[in-house]
Amino acid sequence: MASTDTDKKNLLEKAEKNDDVSMTTEKVKDTTEGQPGANFSSNEKDLDNDNDIEIKDIKLTISEHDTEDVTMATKEESANEKTGLIDSDSSRSDSEDDREDVTMATESDVDDRIEDMTRSLLGLDVCGEFSPESSVHRKTFRRYKKAMKGVIPIRFEKTKKDEFPVEKAGCFSLMTFGWQTSLMWNIYRKGIDAIKDLCIGESEKAKPNTDRLARIWSDELKKRGPQKASLTRAVFVFMKTRLIFALLCLLATVALQFAGPAFVLHRLLSYLNSGDVDIGVGIGLVVAITVTEFGRTLFFSHAWHFNYASGVRVRAATQGLLFRKILKLRSLEDKTVGEIVNLLGNDSQRIFEAISIGPLMLPGPLVLVMGLIYMLFLIGPWSLIAMGIFGAFYPVMYFISFLTNYYRRKCIVVTDKRVRMMNELLTCIKLIKMYAWEKSFAKAISVIRAEERGILEKGAYVQSISTATAPIVPVMGAVFTFLAYVLTGNELTAVKAFTITAVLNSMRFTLGVLPFSVKALADAKVSFKRYKSILLMDEMTPHPWQVFNDKYALVLNHTTFKWDKDSTAEKNGKNKSKDKGKASKTKASNGLKGREELQTLKDSDQTNEDVAFVDTPTLQDLTLVAEKGKLIGICGSVGSGKSSLLSAVLGRMLHVSGKVAVQGSLAYVSQQAWVMNTTVRDNILFGETYDPDRYAAVVESCALLQDFSDFVDGDQTEIGERGINLSGGQKQRISLARAVYSNKDIYLLDDPLSAVDIHIGRHIFSECIMKQLKGKTVLFVTHQLQYLSNCDQVIFMRDGKITDTGTHSELMKGDTEYASLIKMFYTQEKEKEASLDNIGRPKSLHKQFSVDRPDYFRQRTLSSGSQGSQGSPRTKRDPLRQMSVMSNRTVSVEEEEQKPTGGKLIVAEEKKEGKVGWPVYRTYIKAAGGYIVSGLVILTFVVTIASQSFASWWLSYWLNQGSGNTTITVGNETFISKSVSDHPNLHFYTTVYGCSVAVMIVMTALRAFVFMKATLRASSTMHNDIFRKMMASPMKFFDTTPVGRIINRFSSDLDEIDVRLPATSEMFLQNMLMILFAIGIIAYVSPWFLIALVPLVLCFLALDVVFTSGVRELMRMNSITKSPVISHVTATVQGISTVHAYGKTDQFLDKFNKLLDKNTGYFYLFYCSNRWLGFRLNLMSTVVVGITGLCIVLTYDKLTPALAGLAFSFAFQMTGLFQFTIRQAIESEAKFVAVQRLQHYSEDVESEAPAVVKGHRPADDWPESGEIKFEKYKMRYRDNLPLALKGIGFTIRAKEKIGIVGRSGSGKSSLGVALFRLVEPVSGTILIDGVDITQIGLEDLRSRLAIIPQDPVLFVGTVRYNLDPFSKHKDSELWDALEKCHVKDTISSLELKLDHMVVENGENFSVGERQLLCMARALLRNSKILMLDEATAAIDTETDALVQKTIKEAFAECTMLIIAHRLNTVLGCDRILVMEEGKVVEYGRPKDLMASKISKFKAMLEAVEKQHEQL
């Protein structure tokens, strides 16, 4: 220990004497293994030449500390052992003698160093966020100040024009939803646009609610830990105040609901039964009944207000919390885009329903107790029978809840799978169409849908049983109670019987809502678990180390990185080195998944302990120092870890060991460019302030000026989803311009020149990278080796390691892998010179290729319209980017010429207005099985409800019979009995009464089964219809329709038809029939009731005409405003790496909040409008009770007590039922909007040509030779666009290899679009072996052609499935194809080999490996005609040379069309086709074209030569 202290003092003294030492030195690794002490060396080494384990002149300090653990040395202590020492491990104390990392400083530097460290420790100069412990919030009424204003009965404050009226509503307005009256009237008069500017109140907005729930969730995690933490409990805390008030209102509701029949009605019936009737007293009792019903209506409506307010806030908070978490995730692990869409769409809806409906079940037990006590008072212990039946209903509901929960969990998994596959299908629709794989995908989708339907059927049957059971429970309770009571000799009077019946009917609503509450809570339980699974996923954490030396921007010290902690997450990793597949073998860790990211990574040892289970890291033992202002080139073979290195710098990989520090802000250009669905300018600015001068300089340096002039509206042209209307080069240059404009400190460029031609590439490198980014730190990953000689430093990677580093000239002098690669290709190039000379190439052309500029093969011709490999390989799951085969769109570059049409590309979503028409209902009825099936379903409902009403009527009829004039003798006195138990036909009446229950039970089971089958048949039929229609839609539909909009149809809309529409429709049919039977019975008792009913019907019709249209329009707008939310979430997930790198998470979160707030406004108004109408319908029901009472009191002399009781019992039944039924009717119609939206896609969307044309099918061996002939072929992409191909005509002979060249927008890609008939011709045709391709089916055509796309597309499934989706080939053929494409070793090293799973987008393979697999797929297709579109863009030069050889050998018998970007692929072709402005300007052998002085092709070669001379 003393020796160590002496060393420290000596070092400090030496540092004081050395004027050149301004920064401290940290020993990164102890040179003496096993020694706890630290050895220090004062020898200075040049960083450029230092490949040892030490990095000099760098100070790395931990960036996150707790202030209590800081030990600071003072000047006075500098002579002691503590002088100048700041331990990088903040968890150690001064007394610890185990110190590995010691910081040395000069005496004059100590104070400055201490101050810097103190600022760092206080969060003033740290890369991580400093956040104090959560403060304890004072429980005062201050936060309820705004809410307490709602207690004021009437508020006279005026609302602003754009303000929600509920913000200034008083208590009475809230209870009656009167604040919405003006809105509903405006919608009726002016349409839905009348409220488009309304802004939802601050209390319902996403941000404040998300902030609050996030704080509560954080407290829950800290208190209970991640495993025991409950999101359900956090949500309860979030809404507990409003829940308490809602329960108080519900208790008042059930109390008044019970008091009406139990006390007032009983008094009225007893009074009427006495025979001495005073009209005044009777009317007074009727008024009392009406008042109790009115009070019940008010309190019930107020409970809904609290529930909806809570539900809307929880919905916004949970969605916001989920999106906020997604923005922080390091990776999505095993989650998919489809699953997230489901969570934000379907699961959030279920959570809302649980909050709004769930509390309604809580007063149930209270009602049960009240009913039991009351009936005990009336009929004694026989009431236990009825209460027993009611009580038994609760465990039945519990069991139903269990089954519902079980089937819901199972169904969610399958639904997520279906939506994910739909997402993948829509993303890759162009490739699927070109490969004629529609049937394969349709079969896969149908299998998943069949499985989903099976689960849905079981769940729907259980739910239907519970829905149908609730209304018969009161009837069964009455039947069994009365039978037992009478058969045991007790006297049952009309007063007792119908008072009890009315009480049981009043309890019916509580029971009726129970199935819905149980289902909603069961669904929400599953949804909360799914939300929690994401909320507990690992977040990105800032690098815990900082570099305080201004000389350095990036330092890696023996750092090792892994993609994820478990195999599932690893498979979902970004485009990274796979180490020949070993990465897929990572073991899962149950203990670490979902662990809170609360601990600071304090040193490399602790980090290593956290992830000690990880094997075969992706990046191993990396040591790298990047000085500020330096350009560092990074090269290596496919899968070597180049892109992963950039991901590690971004913080998107798991830090296993070592130390990494980044100093400065980051900009990132991904290998597969990510663009947003907005204007070109907005994509470049990316939220930054517009500076005209800087913007102009950036646009010029990125070679975008010509593109802007070609665009319709210049830089205001809208970019479609996934950049569908841009070429690959344009997307890449816009992505690069975004980075340059951001003016960051460090630039991570992942092969940014792969998608541009030689001219533009050189321009970008010289003007952008060398000039615009001069003084910036640039990490430049590239396969284009000619640029590396201009880099300040070159890094060569292999198998996740840095094998060579230095300047280009230094590496070429040594025996390095980098030098071997350069020299190998130089040798290969010299061997090709002879063949190139044969075509007349200028003699000086070969001189362009030297040791310093080796990569001749990476040079490209004049096409920037071709595709590069875009999208961040690290971008978690970017499924929507994989749309390209040749141009990533069918709109093509030619679309840029659509000047007459403006820059708008995306078509607005259709919005139908008015009532849902009969055609929509007819579509649903036909899908359910036709009119006969639908009629039988309704008949089962009629019989079921009739049996229930019959039981009540039979009771009244039985009681009216009395004793049947039976005489009885009591003592010596004989008189006629009044007891029904003395009737001689007692057993007949009781038998009929009892059998009615049996009929009810049988019909309930039958009805549930029939209804379930019919509704799910309807939804499945509609799903299949729309799916077939989608697959047959032309490409222009997919180009102009956002994927999020289509997915919304297959997720939210289909979920409506699968689950919610049947539930609401079933309740509507059931309750409507109950109301009709109730009105019929009341009219049967007192026909005068029909006269009083007329004004009520007129009022109802007025409400229906004026206001139900508003409810319907609000539902439509709810669906329409949901689509942008889904699209935004999808786009954010795709570009998450870019969003993180630029620090734009807040910007994307703000946009999400705005979109969600817009949707929440319509969503809230829709549900409140239901309650607005419900309250007014409840008032009408109250009037019905009052009118019924008046009719009975005024005409009592003509009625029996039994009939009076019958009428009153049905009148009370209608009070809650009427509004609920009408609301269900409106909601059912609103749910039919989903049917209407699916019907639009299945009927109104245009279809492409048929797959097969009978009578015009080509021979089985067609095309036999592969001759292609274009005859005066004209084509345009859409009707409002100019011609893309302008009457071209040429012939390609069998087995010829044709190179296609031309500038961007010249029509090269359009040739492929024409050949595959993705767009139909305006005139002319194409003949293949003499067969007119416009006369045959699309499947017959496309299945005989093959294409190797530039953007590699892999599907979720096995490697085998990706190579051979129709299982037509043997394993030996698959392995042979893989070997020819030089990817056999990668696949064979995987644990499951051909059965290894490919994750979404193929992201467990690098982009280069994906391209090789796509090539193997095309090789297996064995087509006579093959099109290639720069199919090796992401492949290193070594592999590319082998692949080019494979192409020449394996496809020797094919006719090949090569959209050429690399000169060697062009010069080796039989003939060259030069395109310009949609016309063929040159077509001939390379030798002949080179011999012509006016040849455009020759001019291209000379331009390339000139470029190389400049290099």
Side-chain angles (χ1 to χ4, degrees), residues 931-1003:
Y931 294 104
I932 295 177
V933 172
S934 300
L936 289 174
V937 172
I938 293 175
L939 181 61
T940 60
F941 275 83
V942 172
V943 175
T944 304
I945 303 304
S947 64
Q948 298 172 24
S949 299
F950 172 80
S952 296
W953 175 84
W954 184 258
L955 175 63
S956 139
Y957 175 76
W958 174 22
L959 292 176
N960 275 334
Q961 302 308 307
S963 64
N965 294 324
T966 302
T967 59
I968 61 172
T969 302
V970 178
N972 295 324
E973 187 177 352
T974 300
F975 56 90
I976 297 175
S977 173
K978 295 181 180 180
S979 174
V980 294
S981 60
D982 293 329
H983 199 289
N985 296 324
L986 176 63
H987 290 291
F988 168 73
Y989 290 112
T990 55
T991 301
V992 173
Y993 195 40
C995 286
S996 64
V997 174
V999 173
M1000 280 186 272
I1001 294 173
V1002 171
M1003 290 307 303

Side-chain angles (χ1 to χ4, degrees), residues 1288-1425:
I1288 62 173
F1290 60 92
T1291 300
I1292 301 174
R1293 293 188 289 268
K1295 301 181 183 179
E1296 268 195 322
K1297 310 298 183 283
I1298 304 299
I1300 304 171
V1301 298
R1303 281 195 171 273
S1304 175
S1306 61
K1308 305 184 305 299
S1309 298
S1310 298
L1311 292 176
V1313 171
L1315 188 63
F1316 283 84
R1317 278 182 66 192
L1318 293 177
V1319 177
E1320 298 293 339
V1322 175
S1323 63
T1325 188
I1326 301 174
L1327 302 177
I1328 297 180
D1329 283 357
V1331 175
D1332 186 348
I1333 67 169
T1334 62
Q1335 301 301 313
I1336 63 175
L1338 293 179
E1339 183 182 341
D1340 286 335
L1341 169 65
R1342 295 169 181 170
S1343 63
R1344 313 297 175 89
L1345 309 177
I1347 184 166
I1348 302 177
Q1350 182 179 5
D1351 258 3
V1353 176
L1354 297 182
F1355 305 101
V1356 174
T1358 62
V1359 173
R1360 186 195 312 278
Y1361 173 77
N1362 274 276
L1363 295 175
D1364 183 25
F1366 292 103
S1367 302
K1368 293 181 177 179
H1369 302 279
K1370 299 177 182 178
D1371 281 8
S1372 58
E1373 297 177 60
L1374 302 184
W1375 284 114
D1376 184 56
L1378 293 172
E1379 185 174 16
K1380 289 180 179 179
C1381 295
H1382 306 281
V1383 74
K1384 180 181 179 180
D1385 290 343
T1386 299
I1387 303 302
S1388 61
S1389 67
L1390 300 175
E1391 187 175 354
L1392 300 177
K1393 298 181 170 53
L1394 291 176
D1395 293 319
H1396 184 78
M1397 285 300 297
V1398 178
V1399 302
E1400 193 170 17
N1401 268 352
E1403 291 184 357
N1404 51 340
F1405 293 94
S1406 71
V1407 175
E1409 289 165 341
R1410 287 181 238 166
Q1411 287 188 325
L1412 295 175
L1413 287 171
C1414 290
M1415 189 169 295
R1417 180 166 61 201
L1419 189 62
L1420 286 166
R1421 201 167 172 86
N1422 197 27
S1423 300
K1424 285 292 183 180
I1425 297 175

